[in-house]
Amino acid sequence: MKYEMLYLIDSSMADEARDALISKFEGTVATLGGTVLSTDKWGVKKLAYPIDYKSDAFYVLMTFEAGAEAVKELDRLCGITDGILRRMITKAAN
């Protein structure tokens, strides 16, 4: 199946740490037998409402093909990773 994961990274995080985080999620998809189709870095955008007292975040949209187990693992990883404010994984339209 084809999925999209939109996640928000704390904008105060250093560039190197942010890039390492993005690579970590891409690597997780590959490790679980999936394929990353694209990773769009939207940059820092203002949030609609404050999250953890922050008013902006770095947006990343990753499109990938993988099985359900990869989606579960990505969701779990995002939940326990410092610096991730929000995430949303949806099935992509074909």
Side-chain angles (χ1 to χ4, degrees):
M1 296 279 326
K2 189 174 173 184
Y3 296 95
E4 289 181 338
M5 179 169 96
L6 178 66
Y7 54 104
L8 281 53
I9 302 174
D10 186 347
S11 60
S12 64
M13 186 178 279
D15 290 347
E16 299 82 30
R18 184 171 55 229
D19 290 340
L21 209 54
I22 294 168
S23 297
K24 173 184 169 182
F25 293 137
E26 290 174 343
T28 301
V29 170
T31 303
L32 295 170
T35 308
V36 175
L37 303 175
S38 68
T39 302
D40 296 329
K41 298 174 186 173
W42 293 355
V44 177
K45 306 248 184 240
K46 188 153 177 52
L47 297 171
Y49 55 90
I51 300 173
D52 295 336
Y53 305 104
K54 295 172 178 39
S55 59
D56 55 16
F58 190 91
Y59 283 63
V60 181
L61 177 67
M62 179 172 70
T63 307
F64 62 97
E65 288 181 347
E69 67 284 342
V71 173
K72 281 184 183 174
E73 180 62 14
L74 273 174
D75 193 43
R76 186 190 73 79
L77 265 180
C78 282
I80 61 173
T81 302
D82 289 337
I84 300 295
L85 301 178
R86 290 285 187 274
R87 82 272 190 190
M88 180 173 66
I89 303 174
T90 56
K91 285 184 184 175
N94 289 332

